[in-house]
Structures are given as structure tokens and as C-alpha cells.
Amino acid sequence: MPELPEVETIKNELVPYLVGHQISGVTLYWAGMVRQPSVEEFCSRLVGQGILGLKRRGKYLIFSLTGREALIMHLKMSGSLLVKPASAQPEKYVRAILHLDNGVAVHFRDPRKFGVMWLVDDASSVTSKLGPEPLESGFTPQVLAERLDNRSAPIKALLCDQSVIAGIGNMYADETLFAAKIHPLRLGKSLSREEIERLHRAIRRILRAAIDDKGASVEDYFRPNGGLGTAHFQFQVAHRLSGESCPVHGTPIERIVVRNRGTYFCPKCQPPVV
Ligand SMILES: [Zn+2]
């Protein structure tokens, strides 16, 4: 699923097409993706509104609108937003289209149909439970230490918990734990100060590098122009097959399941819980 670097890339690449333009129409092929308000109200209220800005919070995209409300999208498992000319016919799996007054149409493609949209007065009604943004300057090792303090869940699960830190999911959790040499089953509260500092550095370095590479094109992630990202070429353990070798010293990578998430790690680089 798209995580922070993928959603950030989508946001960056949509801005030039969207901001300053007006929504001239909405086509919905799958009404189930509108969470709030009713489908009829969602469509009628959107039409005619200008897009003032687009930002990302965690894995959410937030469009601020001239009518003092916010359109929020979450791509969930398999969503992507594709920029097309107004005349483009929807391809398979396109669940919604936003038509703009500049001749651009944004196609919400979502094979698995988990994507969600909201139209709300206040974006924080949807995003208020999110933890800190890991790339903002306020996210210090001390903040990470406080988020993990007294937590008796495995660190892998805590990294994927959006209320602990916003934006990290399965892929980047595996990559950051490998880079920080921390076993995914270590409990949050068991991490030393030095380990927390290593993890903090790894989170920021890996997320930034993945944004530079325009996200990881595994599964259904496409950039708005239909192109792919290349971040997955840097992956050391995530999405590797178990039995493939650790790039550091050739030990076979192992796969375990942590709270229902397939988790890849190197048993030598990431020593087990003792
Ligand atoms: Zn290794």
C-alpha cells in the first residue's frame, strides 16, 4: 500500500495540475468510497469549489477548498491518482473522476476498492488521532522515545501504528528496522537510547531517500503521470522472498508474521530478543 513517500510523491506531482483550479464535475463509479457526507451531497458540494492547496498528513491527502472545507482522500491498499485529459475514458478499476476547469481529470484508480474520500468542514475530524510527522523538525529522538515509552507491543507493530508515528507502513517499517539493526519483535519499551537514536536516523534517511526516488512501485502504486517510482530498488529486506540473502553478509532473510503483517528481517543483522 502507498506509504508516506508514495503519498508525498503523489501530492507533489498533483499540485501543479490542481492548485488554483476549480472542480467542474465529479463522476463516481463506486459510491462505497465516499465515507462522508452522503454521495449526493458529496458531489453537489464539490462542484464549483476551487482548490487552494494540497497537503499530506500521514497517508492522507488533504485538498483545501475555497468553500472552507476539505476533501480528504486515503488510497488504502491499492489506490492511485492519475492525471488525464478531460476526454480520457476511464480504464478498468477507476472508481471516481474529479474533473477540473483546466481540462484535467484526476482518475482515482483502485483495484481493491478500499480507497476512501471525505468532504468535511475540518480536516482534523479525520486526522486528529495521527501521531507526529516523522520528517518534520519537531520529530526528535526524544519524541520517538516518548512514543515508545512503556509500550509492550513489538516495535514492528508500533512503527506501523498511525497513532504512534504517521505515515509508516509495512515496507518502510521493515526497511528502517533493518537499517537500525533492531529485531521486529523487540518490545517498544525495551529499546535503549542508542537504539532509538539509530531508529530515528534510519526512519528519516529511508523516508527521504524514498521520496527522492518517487516512491516504491510494488503492487499497484503509480505516480500521477502513470510512471513508476524506483525506491524499491533500494530495499534491503522488504518485499524480498524469504531465503534471499541479506545484502550485508549473505545470511538468508527470514519472514515472520507480526500482528498479521508479513515481516522480513535478517536474523544476523537484527539479533533476536534474548
Ligand atoms: Zn544481515
Side-chain angles (χ1 to χ4, degrees), residues 178 237 245-253 265-270:
F178 175 79
V237 290
S245 301
C246 161
V248 177
H249 35 48
T251 312
I253 290 167
F265 70 102
C266 170
K268 194 162 173 188
C269 294
Q270 296 161 268

Side-chain angles (χ1 to χ4, degrees), residues 177-188:
L177 288 173
F178 175 79
K181 300 185 178 358
I182 296 169
H183 193 284
L185 287 175
R186 291 279 305 281
L187 305 186

Side-chain angles (χ1 to χ4, degrees), residues 243-260:
E244 254 190 81
S245 301
C246 161
V248 177
H249 35 48
T251 312
I253 290 167
E254 288 185 13
R255 180 182 188 276
I256 54 174
V257 176
V258 181
R259 304 261 170 109
N260 293 322

